Amino acid sequence: MLEYKLYIDGQFIDSSDNSTFDSINPYDKSIVAKIAKATVNDTRDAIKAARKAFDSGVWSDKSGEERSAIIKQIADKIKENTPRLLELEIMDSGSTYKKAKDDMFLTYRAASTFSKLALVDLSEDIGISKEGISKNLMVREPVGVCSAIIPWNFPLQMAMWKIAPALAAGCTIVLKPAPETSVTAMELAKLIDETDLPKGVVNIITGDAEVGEEMVTNPLVDKVAFTGSTEIGKKVMNLASASMKKVTLELGGKSANIVLDDADMELAVDGSVYACYFHNGQCCVAGSRLIMTNKIYDEFVERIKNKLAKMKIGNPMDKDTDVGPLVSEKQQKRVLEYIEIGKKEGARLVYGGGIPKGFDGYYVEPTLFADVTNNMRIAQEEIFGPVLSVIKVNTEAEAISVANDSSFGLAGGVWSKDNDRAMNVAKKLRAGTIWINEWHLLNDKAPFGGYKQSGLGRELGLEGVKAYTEVKHIHVDEILDRKKKFWYNVAVPMDEA
Ligand code: NAD
């Protein structure tokens, strides 16, 4: 059986109390790996290692070119080891082959993009306030030691979305994967150890809330980068506020998918199924609220139902499987509970709703609810499973209003053959990413994040690197022999300011 240790200060070590936990394959409930479980003391050691590495300047003093080259080494390691990582990701998370293959590529792509972004000088000269006398420089510096906490739905990709921008900015980091899916993060530790990255710059530990809370509250940490549920995100924000740590939060969603009545029907049906059911709906940007006018409603619901009936439920390792298991028994139970809630609320169950026959793992059928109203819990709460709620409206304006009537604002989408019309709707949607005739495509150079309770700050792109920096203004007076008067006689009179 596979065994993994904690990665602290460039060493692979057992937990200080020798405790371990098993990683379970959600397809057949077999044990994939035995993994060391970090204690609070181990967490403190990892943070101390990151602090020591940061303060020594061993990473932050390197040039952008040097940092870029080492991040590229990590990217190349991912590429070389894709077959192994892919297999482990499927076993550990229940991701289908198709989804996990994409994840491997996207992990590699994120590392490659951030290796390029490490070359960008983020500091600017913001002008001379008085010709020849003083200069104003804006300097971007690494924020320091970062704690990164990630969820289970895109395990390796989420790890890279944290590690690569932190490294690009010159930070050091302690990363904790979700307990359900720690295997590929621990494999990543081994790959990072084979690169020229100095010891202690990246530390990877395991565990759940207790370890997470230490990572958020420890005084040696400067910034917390959290991806997970809105509920835990609020807790993290609260805990971090005691020491006013910098925080970025990538949280949940209940993304609205608006199909306008002039949409290409075949494309919109296909795209709406992909938007909601990709990775069994265990996706923060899942298009889980489908909104359309009564003109196309009945036909659209029928077409979605027919698509769902054709999806292949199977072993996630098989290349043609569309629907694999959910990540855990807990998640399966949660999704089944929401299906019962939907029925009780009076939504019409059009398809699915149960556990498919012939599988031992944590499966749930792709499930379709029609006649949902936006005040129902299945329209307002993040289910994080393969459950689509279809809402009927009378007008385009009502579709926009319903879409925005949500405490979340992570993503959204519009389907229409008329680009201007679609763009007009897209601009009115209050969410961080909007797709037009598309879903799930992200660009590593474009900022990603949420409005409202879907998060705080942005990941990816230069915005994503800046999130790991502090800004310093350096005001330089270059004429040292000039007679200056301080106090009320300010150097620049108000009317010249
Ligand atoms: P979760 O909030 O339960 O857990 C996320 C992480 O937080 C895990 O590593 C967990 O161990 C840790 N954690 C739990 N309690 C903690 C505490 N008290 N203090 C610190 N850390 C703690 O989320 P999950 O169930 O693993 O993942 C699903 C959620 O993640 C969904 O809500 C989904 O929308 C969200 N998500 C968001 C994005 C995004 O980019 N916006 C991406 C992926 C997933």
Side-chain angles (χ1 to χ4, degrees):
M1 194 205 305
L2 292 166
E3 290 190 7
Y4 294 98
K5 299 186 178 203
L6 310 173
Y7 184 56
I8 298 177
D9 206 10
Q11 307 291 319
F12 290 93
I13 57 165
D14 288 322
S15 155
S16 51
D17 67 359
N18 284 318
S19 58
T20 60
F21 65 102
D22 293 335
S23 164
I24 306 294
N25 183 336
Y27 169 63
D28 58 8
K29 305 177 185 171
S30 61
I31 298 175
V32 178
K34 192 177 269 309
I35 305 172
K37 183 167 179 283
T39 62
V40 168
N41 276 337
D42 299 327
T43 311
R44 289 180 184 147
D45 286 347
I47 293 169
K48 273 186 215 152
R51 183 82 255 167
K52 192 178 78 191
F54 185 78
D55 292 344
S56 71
V58 69
W59 184 246
S60 56
D61 286 353
K62 284 204 188 308
S63 67
E65 284 75 15
E66 289 169 315
R67 293 208 284 258
S68 170
I70 294 180
I71 301 170
K72 186 68 173 65
Q73 287 179 4
I74 298 175
D76 292 343
K77 289 276 171 196
I78 299 288
K79 198 175 191 178
E80 282 160 31
N81 290 278
T82 283
R84 175 179 168 78
L85 293 167
L86 171 65
E87 190 180 346
L88 289 172
E89 193 81 305
I90 296 170
M91 285 160 64
D92 198 31
S93 69
S95 295
T96 58
Y97 179 89
K98 287 189 258 193
K99 183 256 180 192
K101 191 160 176 270
D102 257 15
D103 286 355
M104 296 306 120
F105 171 69
L106 294 172
T107 305
Y108 163 75
R109 196 183 71 178
S112 297
T113 304
F114 282 112
S115 86
K116 292 186 191 117
L117 293 177
L119 298 170
V120 179
D121 183 359
L122 298 173
S123 301
E124 300 173 33
D125 183 340
I126 53 175
I128 296 169
S129 65
K130 223 173 180 196
E131 196 74 35
I133 295 179
S134 59
K135 275 187 181 167
N136 285 277
L137 300 175
M138 191 183 82
V139 181
R140 288 260 176 192
E141 294 177 346
V143 66
V145 174
C146 303
S147 282
I149 301 174
I150 56 170
W152 43 256
N153 57 346
F154 293 82
L156 191 63
Q157 203 184 333
M158 288 295 110
M160 195 55 75
W161 277 29
K162 301 283 186 245
I163 290 174
L167 293 182
C171 296
T172 61
I173 184 165
V174 177
L175 175 102
K176 186 192 85 60
E180 294 85 348
T181 54
S182 299
V183 166
T184 48
M186 300 327 288
E187 285 284 331
L188 179 61
K190 291 187 195 168
L191 298 179
I192 286 176
D193 196 62
E194 292 169 10
T195 68
D196 294 327
L197 192 76
K199 287 186 191 322
V201 174
V202 171
N203 306 271
I204 303 185
I205 58 172
T206 58
D208 205 356
E210 194 187 29
V211 167
E213 289 186 15
E214 179 61 29
M215 290 170 70
V216 175
T217 52
N218 191 296
L220 300 182
V221 171
D222 298 297
K223 180 207 158 98
V224 180
F226 174 85
T227 300
S229 62
T230 294
E231 182 195 348
I232 305 293
K234 286 180 184 175
K235 199 166 188 180
V236 164
M237 196 170 168
N238 254 324
L239 290 171
S241 71
S243 50
M244 206 59 89
K245 289 185 179 29
K246 306 292 174 278
V247 178
T248 40
L249 301 170
E250 297 293 346
L251 308 177
K254 191 77 190 178
S255 298
N257 179 12
I258 299 178
V259 181
L260 298 179
D261 45 25
D262 67 347
D264 176 326
M265 279 299 138
E266 193 52 38
L267 183 76
V269 169
D270 240 8
S272 299
V273 169
Y274 177 55
C276 179
Y277 298 96
F278 168 66
H279 194 30
N280 260 325
Q282 301 170 119
C283 207
C284 51
V285 294
S288 51
R289 280 189 305 150
L290 178 57
I291 303 169
M292 69 192 70
T293 59
N294 36 22
K295 204 165 152 193
I296 55 171
Y297 182 85
D298 290 334
E299 186 194 339
F300 208 90
V301 170
E302 191 59 26
R303 285 207 199 195
I304 297 237
K305 179 179 137 187
N306 295 338
K307 282 268 172 212
L308 297 186
K310 289 191 188 127
M311 284 174 87
K312 184 173 177 245
I313 304 179
N315 183 338
M317 223 32 117
D318 294 343
K319 290 186 179 162
D320 59 348
T321 292
D322 300 311
V323 181
L326 300 184
V327 72
S328 65
E329 188 174 7
K330 185 175 155 206
Q331 195 63 13
Q332 183 193 42
K333 199 163 159 264
R334 172 188 164 93
V335 173
L336 292 172
E337 275 169 15
Y338 268 107
I339 292 171
E340 287 314 305
I341 290 169
K343 287 190 215 162
K344 284 197 192 110
E345 287 180 310
R348 175 164 56 96
L349 181 64
V350 178
Y351 190 83
I355 299 175
K357 292 194 176 61
F359 295 97
D360 274 347
Y362 307 123
Y363 284 80
V364 173
E365 288 172 316
T367 297
L368 176 63
F369 277 112
D371 304 346
V372 175
T373 53
N374 201 43
N375 58 353
M376 290 181 185
R377 285 182 64 192
I378 59 165
Q380 287 294 329
E381 295 174 21
E382 184 182 47
I383 300 173
F384 225 55
V387 183
L388 178 58
S389 298
V390 194
I391 302 172
K392 185 164 29 177
V393 292
N394 292 311
T395 61
E396 183 180 307
E398 190 187 348
I400 295 167
S401 150
V402 167
N404 286 334
D405 180 12
S406 167
S407 58
F408 296 109
L410 190 60
V414 192
W415 302 82
S416 169
K417 282 189 199 142
D418 180 338
N419 276 341
D420 291 341
R421 194 178 167 201
M423 188 59 83
N424 186 40
V425 173
K427 286 183 178 164
K428 290 181 177 153
L429 294 180
R430 305 227 349 112
T433 299
I434 307 293
W435 287 283
I436 296 178
N437 297 323
E438 184 53 85
W439 208 282
H440 287 302
L441 264 191
L442 292 179
N443 184 330
D444 291 345
K445 295 190 186 122
F448 174 75
Y451 284 32
K452 301 191 251 181
Q453 294 190 30
S454 286
L456 201 64
R458 293 292 181 268
E459 290 197 303
L460 300 184
L462 271 185
E463 287 297 318
V465 181
K466 285 179 187 171
Y468 289 88
T469 62
E470 286 277 20
V471 184
K472 182 184 280 176
H473 170 205
I474 303 181
H475 191 126
V476 198
D477 191 329
E478 292 187 326
I479 303 176
L480 296 176
D481 58 358
R482 183 166 53 93
K483 295 249 180 299
K484 285 204 283 197
K485 286 185 190 148
F486 291 102
W487 204 232
Y488 292 113
N489 296 316
V490 288
V492 184
M494 289 302 275
D495 55 0
E496 282 181 38

